[in-house]
Structure formats: structure tokens, C-alpha cells
Amino acid sequence: MKIIGTGSALPTKVVSNDMLAGFLDTSDEWITTRTGIATRRLLSDDNLGDLAIEAARNAVASSGVPIEEIDYIICSNVANNYVTPSLSTIIQGGIGDCACPCMDLNGACAGFIYAIDIAEALLKTDRARHVLIVCAEEPSKFCNWHQRETSVLFGDGAGAVMVTGGDNLIARRVTARSQKDVLYYKRPLESTPYDRQRDTSEPLVMNGKDVFRMAVQGSLGDINTLLKEGGLVPNDIDFYLLHQANLRIIKSIRESLNQPEDKFPCNLQRYGNTSSASIPILIDELAREGRLKPGALLMLSAFGAGFVTGGALLRW
Ligand code: UT7
């Protein structure tokens, strides 16, 4: 497969660390030194469906693919207001006259790589010629806003790519190891006359230190495996586009690979952790800035609740 169009959309509300320190026992100093995050965009008067549609429209427009030639829409999303219908069908309705199959997947923060894996399979088996991947996330809606440990980390946003057949995906790898206690969100369900359990819903719970360790180990495992599969060494890669969770995680990975900082473009300083949307938003920004030259080698790597990881080695 190859990527032929990119798009993104972010909420208009910019929330600084100082704004959070107004109601949480935290500080700009703690958040910037421990995470690198300075501001994040949070949904306020806008909504996720509209953001997802805007990101999708931008990717479609930049690809030049007519709407009616989109063969599949895959949306990566952890949770949103609609449990059903799928967010991908909502996006389909928003982008225009397109009647293709739609599917949502929950690969947590690694959802973009999972979507690439599935899109590649659809393209390879001639089930599709153009697949629109949209990652749309609103983690702010499932954080506990009384808890400083998690709420300062996240931001909302959407990123999208259009993919078609090609030889640009050199290798990819997705993994999962069941570890539900390290990072989870339990949403509320309706009660029934027969359900004798109490409501067990719970806002996002995270063991930050465990996630940090698993993130670094998991990403390095994927990156080194993909380098080997591609017959490459770390120096061959032009850009490492990593899940935008924490600058310290990215630094650990970068130092293990012994690579310079400018190969690891980041935007988490401005957007926080936007879950699976973080890599496609980053790709869209770099593409629009003209920083991705044809032929450039990109290493994508993400990790998230599950515990899942995903990596992709591709040529731009
Ligand atoms: O997409 C995947 C999502 N998750 C992640 O990627 C998270 C991975 N983990 C991390 O990024 C880091 O573990 C955190 C940023 C979450 C935390 O950094 P840390 O260096 O592991 O800090 P810590 O949890 O060890 O906490 C250190 C101190 C604690 O206080 P004491 O016990 O030393 O007195 C915390 O209570 O910092 C305190 N703390 C805070 N202080 C101010 C925790 N959160 C905050 C906060 N503001 N927001």
C-alpha cells in the first residue's frame, strides 16, 4: 500500500497547563518536565463526529480520489458518544455520496497501525482499491478530571489518510498481550431487571510507570524487528514517527537507537496524547509542511491499552 492523502482536524479550544493548575493540584513545571506537554486541544463547543468528518474530507481532498471511488472506511476510535452506529458510518454520511462498507476498530493508541494492517490486507486481496483510514479520539471524555495523574496527559483530535495499492509499506507488525489492569476505561451500561451487579463503570485508570516501561520495551521490540525485516539499521530511517504520549518515552527510545533528535518530530507539546490520532495528525502536519520528501523512510510505532503495540516501516 501507499499513502496518497492526509488530513487532520483539532478542537478549537486550547488548554494550557496553567489552566489545569487552576483546578487540579498540578503545575506547568511538573507537566512539562514529566511529559513535555504545554497545551492540548479539548472538545468544548465542537464534537468528535464533526472533527472526524473534517479530517476525512481533508484526506480525501488531498488524495484527489473521488468520493464514490472510496471502497472502505476504517475508523480507529476507543470510545465516543455513539456506541452504535459506528463512527465510520457517521463519517461516511458526512463526506458525501459514498456507499462503501464501514468498520470501526479499537486498537487503543496503536489503532492507526492496526488500521494500516487491515487496509493492506484489503488492498492485497483486491477487496478494495482505496481505503480511507480515520483515527478520531476524545480521551478527554473518559478521563477523571479530579485526577491529576491522567487528565493532564490527553488531548482530543482526528487524523486521516487515504491509502491505495503500492509497494511503499515495507514491513509492519502488530502485537497484543492481554493486560487489562494496566490501562482501562469502563463505560456505564444500562441496568436491566436481571442484572444483579452494581454499575462498575470507571473513568480512565492507568498505572503510568508500567505503561511507560511497556511502551519503551514494546516500541523498541517492534522497531528493531521491522528494521531487521527491512534489512536496515537505525541510521537508514529518515523519520521516526512515534505515538505522541510523552517526550520522555520518545527520548528513551531515541537514545536506545542512538539517533539524533531531529529524526523524531513531535507535536505532543501542543496537542497532548490524542491516542490513535496522534501519528496521522503528525504525518499530516509534516506532509503539509513539505518535510516528507518522496522516498523518505519512515518508521511508525505506537502502543496502548490492551496491551497492544504496532509498528510500520514505509517509504513516503
Ligand atoms: O497512550 C498511552 C497512555 N499512557 C502513557 O503513555 C503514560 C506513560 N507513563 C507516563 O507518561 C508517566 O508515568 C507519567 C507522566 C504518567 C507520570 O510520570 P512519572 O515520572 O512516572 O511520575 P510518577 O507517577 O512516579 O509520579 C511522581 C510524583 C508522585 O508524587 P509522589 O508520590 O512522588 O509524592 C505523583 O503523585 O508526581 C505526582 N504527580 C503529579 N504531580 C503534579 C502525578 N501526576 C501529577 C501531576 N501534577 N499531574
Side-chain angles (χ1 to χ4, degrees):
M1 57 147 262
K2 67 177 177 206
I3 295 174
I4 54 167
T6 66
S8 61
L10 290 143
T12 49
K13 183 146 197 75
V14 180
V15 177
S16 68
N17 293 340
D18 282 336
M19 286 161 78
L20 300 183
F23 62 93
L24 283 170
D25 180 16
T26 189
S27 64
D28 177 50
E29 201 263 333
W30 191 94
I31 302 172
T32 45
T33 51
R34 299 280 177 143
T35 72
I37 300 164
T39 60
R40 71 283 294 139
R41 302 286 193 92
L42 298 182
L43 287 162
S44 173
D45 293 328
D46 23 25
N47 72 72
L48 189 68
D50 289 345
L51 277 195
I53 291 165
E54 191 186 331
R57 280 196 184 132
N58 291 340
V60 173
S62 80
S63 73
V65 173
I67 298 283
E68 60 277 10
E69 288 184 20
I70 301 172
D71 301 309
Y72 229 107
I73 300 175
I74 302 175
C75 178
S76 159
N77 170 261
V78 172
N80 72 91
N81 197 204
Y82 281 95
V83 172
T84 194
S86 63
L87 194 48
S88 46
T89 58
I90 293 171
I91 294 165
Q92 185 201 49
I95 60 174
D97 195 14
C98 150
C100 66
C102 295
M103 148 173 58
D104 279 15
L105 71 82
N106 181 348
C109 300
F112 180 56
I113 316 286
Y114 268 77
I116 283 181
D117 190 45
I118 292 168
E120 158 84 345
L122 291 170
L123 295 165
K124 224 176 187 163
T125 51
D126 288 330
R127 303 268 304 282
R129 278 171 310 138
H130 301 115
V131 181
L132 176 63
I133 298 174
V134 187
C135 302
E137 304 280 10
E138 49 183 351
S140 74
K141 302 286 179 71
F142 46 89
C143 284
N144 181 344
W145 282 93
H146 300 289
Q147 236 183 41
R148 63 183 185 175
E149 288 81 3
T150 47
S151 55
V152 305
L153 305 174
F154 295 95
D156 306 321
V161 298
M162 180 77 82
V163 299
T164 191
D167 296 328
N168 296 33
L169 182 63
I170 299 163
R172 82 250 182 257
R173 171 178 153 93
V174 283
T175 77
R177 277 290 174 88
S178 182
Q179 275 271 9
K180 78 174 159 35
D181 295 334
V182 78
L183 180 54
Y184 65 86
Y185 159 54
K186 295 204 237 170
R187 69 181 158 213
L189 294 173
E190 305 300 320
S191 59
T192 83
Y194 311 105
D195 182 4
R196 288 207 287 262
Q197 302 177 52
R198 275 172 309 174
D199 176 15
T200 57
S201 65
E202 213 175 340
L204 193 77
V205 172
M206 182 178 71
N207 181 327
K209 284 208 181 307
D210 282 354
V211 174
F212 195 113
R213 185 179 39 79
M214 290 159 77
V216 174
Q217 277 174 5
S219 272
L220 279 172
D222 288 346
I223 291 170
N224 285 320
T225 305
L226 293 173
L227 285 172
K228 204 166 166 194
E229 270 180 43
L232 301 168
V233 294
N235 285 352
D236 294 327
I237 302 297
D238 294 295
F239 284 121
Y240 290 85
L241 307 180
L242 306 190
H243 172 44
Q244 300 289 294
N246 185 327
L247 274 190
R248 284 160 56 217
I249 294 178
I250 293 172
K251 185 166 177 256
S252 297
I253 295 168
R254 179 171 67 73
E255 287 176 351
S256 292
L257 296 167
N258 198 18
Q259 292 297 295
E261 213 172 323
D262 59 3
K263 282 193 178 185
F264 289 70
C266 290
N267 60 16
L268 69 88
Q269 300 91 331
R270 285 175 284 134
Y271 304 144
N273 177 349
T274 58
S275 188
S276 72
S278 83
I279 294 178
I281 293 172
L282 187 61
I283 291 179
D284 183 49
E285 286 193 339
L286 295 171
R288 281 168 201 278
E289 287 163 13
R291 290 177 65 192
L292 300 178
K293 305 289 178 221
L297 275 174
L298 310 181
M299 178 67 81
L300 280 42
S301 172
F303 53 85
F307 197 80
V308 298
T309 72
L313 171 60
L314 49 97
R315 195 174 286 286
W316 189 251

